Amino acid sequence: LNVDQLFHSIFMYKSYKASQTKFFETEFMEKYSFISGRTNMISSYIGNLCNLLFSGFFNVISTIILFAIYEPWLILFTITYTIIAAIVTKIVTEKQYKLDKEQIKDQRFSDYYKDILTNKKYAKELRIYKLKSYIYDKWIYFYEKTRFERLNLVLKGTKLFNKVVFCRLICRMLAICVLLLGLYYNKYNIGVFVMLFGLIDTNMSKINEIISLIISGVLQDTKYLCDYYDFIYPITNKEIKNIKNNSALVSAPRFDNFNEIKLKNVDFTYPSADKKALKNIDFYLKKGEVVSVLGYNGSGKTTLSKILNGSFFPQNGNLYLNNTLINDNNRNSLFEYFGNATQEFSHFSLPIKEFVGLGYIEKMNDKSELDSAYNMVGIENLLSKFPYADSTILGKEYDEEGQELSGGEWQRLLLASAYMGNHEILLLDEPTASIDPLLEMDFINKIKENLQGKTAVLISHHIGFARIADRIILMDDGKIVEQGTHDYLLSINGVYSKLFNEQKKLYENEDKLI
């Protein structure tokens, strides 16, 4: 059990350490899915080795010695049977391993569609849009495909093993004939005959057991062990020791207090993408500055934010913090500078105070910090609605008294999480995306109030955020096309001016409708 836990822990550690962009790569995800479902094969490998040591190996050797003394022909039958059984077992085992590898993509499809059919978060869409039959047909296609492939392999394996059984029967019959002849010619007495007769079947059973342990066990598990090793490599003895001691994911040492962060000639392309998401980006953010990054959908705003906080790493160009180059060795230290409210986030089913506390986990139990974060997003009224206040569980994943929240309420909690612990840089990506439009301007003003004296990057396609920023950056097609103050950007009559006037007309039309 300890060995099994260790190998699972190493796998989870290496998964956590893998670059976030790796999870966009099909090849990586296929390896990841293959290993994650077969990590227990590694401890199985060790178990099979131990079983082999305590198997009937020595019994087989002692039996062969007795055959050599009394009836050498029995050794020939034993060797013949052993070779045939080993070859068949090896063929079936290799086909099983090959099929496991080939099916991983189809298995991922099957698991995905099954998740849609069974996961609570898809229940509403399945019913509203009557998707059950459509999704079920997709799931059953991949499920049946993989099932029939496995069934065909089992049938082929059964046919092959039937031949082994037939071979065993023939060898046994020939051995009995040889023994009867030996008894007839007084080569040995009836007692030796009975002993050798009993050892024939026992020996073949022991050989089956050993072949299974070696080929279906040790040798097959060695293949999975090699796949596992390819995934976790490289890893040091020190890392493994830290994993055993539960100290592998300790925080990296911090840099000095924040002064400036810079991107220099940064490019970034998503795996398998046709074009760059970021192109030759030069960007800086100084202490105490609020920068608004604007642009249409797909302009590269969110990708820029992920480069800034270290989630993604530049493929070309450099990222500097306080004039120190960020690399793989010090990258984890960058995370602690940021309070993040990302556009995509996980709806963890935790007590409210723990969900908010995740933003600065070291102060999760600090009531004054929590109360300050609640106040900054104005969720006191929300908390007062619940009988357990901020101890209320979010969602009903495992607690029937858990509370479901609206999109806007989730977003407020996420923003409170970003405010936890007084991070040196706030990174807010579309922080009003789920907020009621009638309350949006009040919410923006609340954010403006909270940003007094702070350093922040505000990412949005909403022009309202530009008015609370010291500097505005316009992105288009992965490039920074304009930057400056609101008045300056209006005066040059470029992309910002166009975006501003489009949104201005939208609000004017809304006023007319009202």
Side-chain angles (χ1 to χ4, degrees):
L1 289 174
N2 288 336
V3 169
D4 201 40
Q5 179 184 349
L6 174 62
F7 282 110
H8 279 289
S9 297
I10 292 172
F11 172 77
M12 288 187 283
Y13 167 78
K14 292 299 290 189
S15 300
Y16 175 81
K17 295 283 285 184
S19 167
Q20 191 176 338
T21 54
K22 284 287 186 183
F23 291 88
F24 292 91
E25 297 177 6
T26 301
E27 184 180 353
F28 173 84
M29 285 307 299
E30 287 180 0
K31 284 183 180 179
Y32 176 84
S33 299
F34 185 76
I35 298 302
S36 65
R38 293 165 179 81
T39 305
N40 61 318
M41 294 275 192
I42 314 306
S43 52
S44 166
Y45 168 81
I46 297 170
N48 283 326
L49 275 178
C50 293
N51 289 335
L52 188 59
L53 291 175
F54 296 99
S55 68
F57 186 73
F58 295 107
N59 287 357
V60 171
I61 292 176
S62 60
T63 299
I64 289 174
I65 291 172
L66 288 172
F67 287 168
I69 294 171
Y70 294 105
E71 190 56 78
W73 278 102
L74 297 182
I75 298 176
L76 177 62
F77 301 144
T78 299
I79 292 173
T80 302
Y81 172 74
T82 300
I83 292 172
I84 293 172
I87 290 172
V88 169
T89 304
K90 187 173 186 295
I91 290 171
V92 173
T93 298
E94 286 180 346
K95 286 183 178 294
Q96 179 63 61
Y97 173 77
K98 184 180 178 182
L99 184 63
D100 281 349
K101 298 278 277 190
E102 290 174 348
Q103 283 192 334
I104 193 65
K105 180 171 287 216
D106 288 341
Q107 190 62 52
R108 286 178 62 200
F109 278 121
S110 177
D111 292 343
Y112 174 69
Y113 290 122
K114 181 182 177 183
D115 186 52
I116 293 177
L117 290 167
T118 58
N119 196 308
K120 176 181 136 183
K121 68 180 178 180
Y122 302 113
K124 181 174 68 175
E125 285 82 358
L126 282 173
R127 286 156 178 77
I128 291 175
Y129 302 114
K130 299 178 181 177
L131 298 177
K132 185 188 174 217
S133 295
Y134 174 74
I135 299 297
Y136 179 83
D137 288 344
K138 285 183 172 291
W139 170 72
I140 202 68
Y141 169 77
F142 289 105
Y143 177 76
E144 292 288 351
K145 182 174 182 288
T146 54
R147 188 169 72 95
F148 278 121
E149 287 171 348
R150 292 192 204 105
L151 178 60
N152 286 334
L153 179 61
V154 170
L155 292 175
K156 288 176 182 177
T158 301
K159 289 178 181 178
L160 286 171
F161 280 119
N162 283 342
K163 293 177 181 178
V164 174
V165 172
F166 181 72
C167 171
R168 177 173 175 173
L169 178 62
I170 296 298
C171 288
R172 189 179 180 199
M173 290 173 63
L174 290 172
I176 291 171
C177 291
V178 168
L179 288 177
L180 288 171
L181 285 172
L183 186 63
Y184 179 78
Y185 288 109
N186 294 318
K187 193 174 179 180
Y188 31 75
N189 60 35
I190 189 69
V192 173
F193 172 86
V194 171
M195 177 190 72
L196 295 177
F197 180 83
L199 286 176
I200 292 170
D201 203 50
T202 302
N203 196 42
M204 288 182 178
S205 296
K206 290 293 182 184
I207 288 170
N208 276 340
E209 179 185 327
I210 292 170
I211 288 173
S212 179
L213 281 171
I214 293 175
I215 297 177
S216 297
V218 175
L219 291 183
Q220 184 187 40
D221 290 344
T222 299
K223 295 177 186 285
Y224 293 108
L225 178 62
C226 290
D227 291 322
Y228 178 90
Y229 181 77
D230 287 342
F231 182 85
I232 68 165
Y233 181 83
I235 189 166
T236 65
N237 288 334
K238 182 179 179 182
E239 286 178 297
I240 294 173
K241 184 177 180 181
N242 288 338
I243 291 168
K244 288 175 66 177
N245 296 330
N246 296 320
S247 58
L249 297 177
V250 294
S251 299
R254 283 175 58 88
F255 291 105
D256 295 332
N257 291 335
F258 172 73
N259 290 313
E260 183 183 36
I261 190 168
K262 289 189 297 186
L263 302 181
K264 193 72 175 172
N265 302 323
V266 165
D267 291 342
F268 183 83
T269 305
Y270 287 93
S272 303
D274 295 329
K275 64 176 187 176
K276 294 179 179 179
L278 295 179
K279 305 171 185 176
N280 198 32
I281 295 292
D282 287 325
F283 174 93
Y284 68 90
L285 176 71
K286 295 183 179 294
K287 184 178 178 64
E289 186 179 28
V290 176
V291 171
S292 176
V293 181
L294 300 177
Y296 295 103
N297 290 336
S299 60
K301 307 184 302 296
T302 296
T303 306
L304 174 63
S305 73
K306 291 179 178 180
I307 294 287
L308 281 173
N309 70 7
S311 297
F312 292 167
F313 203 68
Q315 291 154 344
N316 291 306
N318 295 310
L319 169 63
Y320 298 90
L321 179 69
N322 297 344
N323 291 319
T324 299
L325 178 66
I326 301 300
N327 53 42
D328 284 336
N329 295 325
N330 59 16
R331 184 174 161 195
N332 285 345
S333 301
L334 185 63
F335 298 147
E336 296 188 18
Y337 284 82
F338 286 87
N340 296 287
T342 56
Q343 190 173 356
E344 299 172 353
F345 63 96
S346 299
H347 292 193
F348 293 118
S349 190
L350 295 169
I352 290 174
K353 60 185 178 182
E354 291 184 19
F355 181 86
V356 173
L358 291 176
Y360 201 102
I361 203 163
E362 294 84 353
K363 297 190 176 182
M364 179 181 281
N365 297 315
D366 190 324
K367 189 175 185 308
S368 63
E369 288 284 354
L370 287 167
D371 289 341
S372 174
Y374 300 154
N375 179 258
M376 291 174 82
V377 293
I379 60 169
E380 294 88 350
N381 290 337
L382 174 65
L383 297 178
S384 66
K385 292 194 308 183
F386 302 138
Y388 302 110
D390 66 353
S391 294
T392 300
I393 300 290
L394 296 169
K396 297 180 181 291
E397 299 296 326
Y398 55 84
D399 190 330
E400 63 182 17
E401 294 187 0
Q403 297 293 325
E404 299 289 358
L405 302 184
S406 69
E409 289 168 338
W410 272 109
Q411 195 151 39
R412 284 177 182 268
L413 290 183
L414 179 69
L415 196 56
S417 178
Y419 289 145
M420 273 290 293
N422 197 28
H423 289 282
E424 299 202 57
I425 308 169
L426 290 170
L427 199 158
L428 313 182
D429 189 355
E430 299 287 6
T432 63
S434 300
I435 301 298
D436 189 330
L438 296 174
L439 303 174
E440 191 171 18
M441 284 313 300
D442 288 340
F443 198 65
I444 289 174
N445 288 329
K446 183 70 172 175
I447 290 175
K448 178 181 179 180
E449 178 186 325
N450 293 331
L451 294 182
Q452 295 298 317
K454 303 280 188 180
T455 306
V457 177
L458 309 175
I459 295 175
S460 180
H461 62 274
H462 194 302
I463 211 75
F465 281 102
R467 305 303 298 272
I468 66 175
D470 301 308
R471 181 162 49 94
I472 302 163
I473 288 178
L474 260 292
M475 294 194 69
D476 185 40
D477 194 29
K479 296 179 287 190
I480 294 176
V481 293
E482 294 176 9
Q483 60 179 308
T485 63
H486 169 73
D487 292 335
Y488 169 74
L489 293 177
L490 282 181
S491 70
I492 63 175
N493 198 31
V495 179
Y496 178 80
S497 177
K498 179 183 176 183
L499 186 65
F500 179 81
N501 288 318
E502 284 176 352
Q503 295 194 17
K504 182 179 177 183
K505 288 177 184 177
L506 178 64
Y507 285 108
E508 287 173 348
N509 290 336
E510 284 182 352
D511 290 340
K512 290 176 183 178
L513 289 172
I514 292 170

